[in-house]
Amino acid sequence: MDSLTQLTLGAAVGEAVAGKKAGNKAIFWGAIAGTIPDLDVIAGNFMSTVDAMAFHRSITHSITFALIVSPVFGFLLKKIYSKLNISWQRWSLLFFLGFFTHTLLDCFTTWGTQLLWPFADTRFAFKSIFVIDPLYTLPLLITTIWLMFLSKSRSKRSTLNIIGISLSSLYLLLTLLAKHQANQVFEASFAREDMKIERFATRPSPLNIILWTANAEVEEGYYTGYYSFFDDDKQIEYSYYPKNHELIIENMPTSEDINQLIGLTNDWFTINMEEKVLVFNDLRFGTYAGWQKDDDNFVFSYKITKKDGAVEITESERDITNGPDLMADLWRRIWAE
């Protein structure tokens, strides 16, 4: 999820664990704990494009990291706040839950999180919530800011914090229910259209859980379609993207980076040839305006070239100059206008 959401969730966790004794200090350190896992993007600046992708949401997002690092912070905070009647175990618990809730929340998004690193490289991705969703974040943000202005001895602090965490958690469960309902609609559509689907994956469109999209794999390509719960009917129009996977074999030598990139996308990708350059399109995140049929402006795409006999992969620049228009168009599509 986005940085503000993770910071706010961490702050709420900090309040729940140590707010009665540490007051706003617990909120501050909870926010820090909720932010630390995403600092792996800093290390990514010193890595290749593919290695940075693989590193993000791996080590720092694992249970192992939380178990090892939390006691270190717990010990340090016990030393810093020695006058507070808070054990190092409780400070450690604050950081462990800050790390773990960050990781768990990320599992509900599309990117994929290596929760069990280093024992398994499986990336958990439930794909039920977009990385920015105001309806999840706002209850935590409002209640956390509110309670910060109350004395740590006020029982209302705890009540507000429970309300914020409960509302956000219920919304997260609602995303799973919405995904289940959307899946049923897409499955019925595949059967009605007699589409020979090998597998499919669904995810919400940006900022909401009303408009859903599906990627459906067939032998030679992928279909993508959109469905809003406000649509008058369940007749879904699909765009088709040929795989063109053979272009890699025909134009590039065997490369560990290419294999790693394919693995990260879980084989959800297409290949285009643009001006004699191979372009690798990551289907997991779709296109900027996929609800507009046959849009081919992918959110994440990578140029694959040869340099001095070696394969080089670089992320394509994104064109978001028409962002306000896209948001307005998205809003209309959500409401089936």
Side-chain angles (χ1 to χ4, degrees):
M1 295 290 285
D2 65 284
S3 298
L4 176 61
T5 300
Q6 294 291 11
L7 181 150
T8 309
L9 175 60
V13 168
E15 169 66 21
V17 174
K20 289 183 178 180
K21 294 184 177 181
N24 289 346
K25 294 182 181 68
I27 292 178
F28 173 78
W29 287 108
I32 295 297
T35 302
I36 285 175
D38 278 343
L39 296 182
D40 59 1
V41 297
I42 297 175
N45 292 327
F46 303 95
M47 300 178 181
S48 69
T49 298
V50 178
D51 285 341
M53 289 176 60
F55 186 71
H56 184 44
R57 292 196 180 180
S58 60
I59 297 174
T60 61
H61 286 66
S62 66
I63 296 177
T64 300
F65 177 85
L67 287 171
I68 293 174
V69 176
S70 297
V72 177
F73 279 101
F75 177 80
L76 291 175
L77 290 189
K78 176 60 179 175
K79 292 294 184 181
I80 294 172
Y81 301 112
S82 57
K83 294 182 179 180
L84 293 178
N85 185 26
I86 302 177
S87 65
W88 74 267
Q89 292 95 331
R90 182 159 290 274
W91 282 122
S92 299
L93 179 63
L94 183 153
F95 271 89
F96 175 80
L97 292 178
F99 294 152
F100 181 71
T101 54
H102 177 123
T103 296
L104 187 61
L105 180 58
D106 276 348
C107 288
F108 284 82
T109 65
T110 300
W111 190 272
T113 305
Q114 285 186 255
L115 188 66
L116 302 179
W117 180 94
F119 305 104
D121 59 4
T122 303
R123 287 183 175 265
F124 294 89
F126 305 143
K127 302 179 183 179
S128 69
I129 191 171
F130 188 68
V131 291
I132 302 174
D133 193 319
L135 289 183
Y136 177 85
T137 307
L138 282 175
L140 290 171
L141 182 62
I142 293 171
T143 55
T144 301
I145 292 176
W146 187 352
L147 66 84
M148 285 174 62
F149 291 94
L150 301 175
S151 168
K152 64 181 181 182
S153 61
R154 293 279 301 275
S155 60
K156 189 175 181 179
R157 282 182 65 121
S158 178
T159 300
L160 284 171
N161 200 44
I162 291 172
I163 290 173
I165 292 175
S166 298
L167 288 175
S168 290
S169 298
L170 286 173
Y171 181 76
L172 196 59
L173 292 176
L174 180 61
T175 68
L176 294 175
L177 177 60
K179 182 181 177 72
H180 173 72
Q181 293 297 110
N183 283 355
Q184 290 186 320
V185 173
F186 282 112
E187 287 177 335
S189 174
F190 299 150
R192 188 166 54 249
E193 299 293 332
D194 194 28
M195 299 167 65
K196 307 301 181 183
I197 301 301
E198 297 179 1
R199 59 174 179 157
F200 77 98
T202 59
R203 66 183 184 280
S205 61
L207 309 174
N208 76 102
I209 56 169
I210 297 173
L211 178 62
W212 289 77
T213 180
N215 289 334
E217 182 179 6
V218 295
E219 184 176 0
E220 298 296 331
Y222 305 94
Y223 288 98
T224 65
Y226 280 76
Y227 170 73
S228 169
F229 290 121
F230 291 108
D231 285 347
D232 292 332
D233 57 48
K234 298 178 180 179
Q235 300 296 322
I236 300 172
E237 293 187 8
Y238 292 95
S239 298
Y240 178 76
Y241 301 95
K243 291 180 178 178
N244 294 330
H245 292 178
E246 69 280 356
L247 290 177
I248 294 180
I249 300 174
E250 294 171 358
N251 293 275
M252 288 293 160
T254 301
S255 166
E256 182 59 34
D257 278 352
I258 292 177
N259 292 335
Q260 188 177 26
L261 184 58
I262 292 172
L264 287 169
T265 64
N266 195 25
D267 287 345
W268 290 107
F269 73 97
T270 67
I271 300 293
N272 293 339
M273 181 73 79
E274 298 179 3
E275 298 180 354
K276 298 183 179 181
V277 174
L278 285 183
V279 178
F280 183 109
N281 302 305
D282 190 338
L283 280 178
R284 293 176 301 163
F285 306 96
T287 61
Y288 282 102
W291 51 89
Q292 298 174 353
K293 200 169 186 300
D294 298 326
D295 174 44
D296 60 359
N297 187 15
F298 286 88
V299 176
F300 288 101
S301 59
Y302 306 87
K303 294 180 180 179
I304 305 177
T305 57
K306 284 187 288 188
K307 185 177 181 180
D308 299 328
V311 171
E312 186 175 73
I313 300 176
T314 56
E315 186 174 348
S316 301
E317 293 185 5
R318 303 188 187 95
D319 180 9
I320 54 175
T321 54
N322 61 337
D325 291 336
L326 283 177
M327 288 297 99
D329 191 35
L330 171 63
W331 179 256
R332 289 189 292 269
R333 180 61 188 90
I334 289 172
W335 295 99
E337 294 180 0

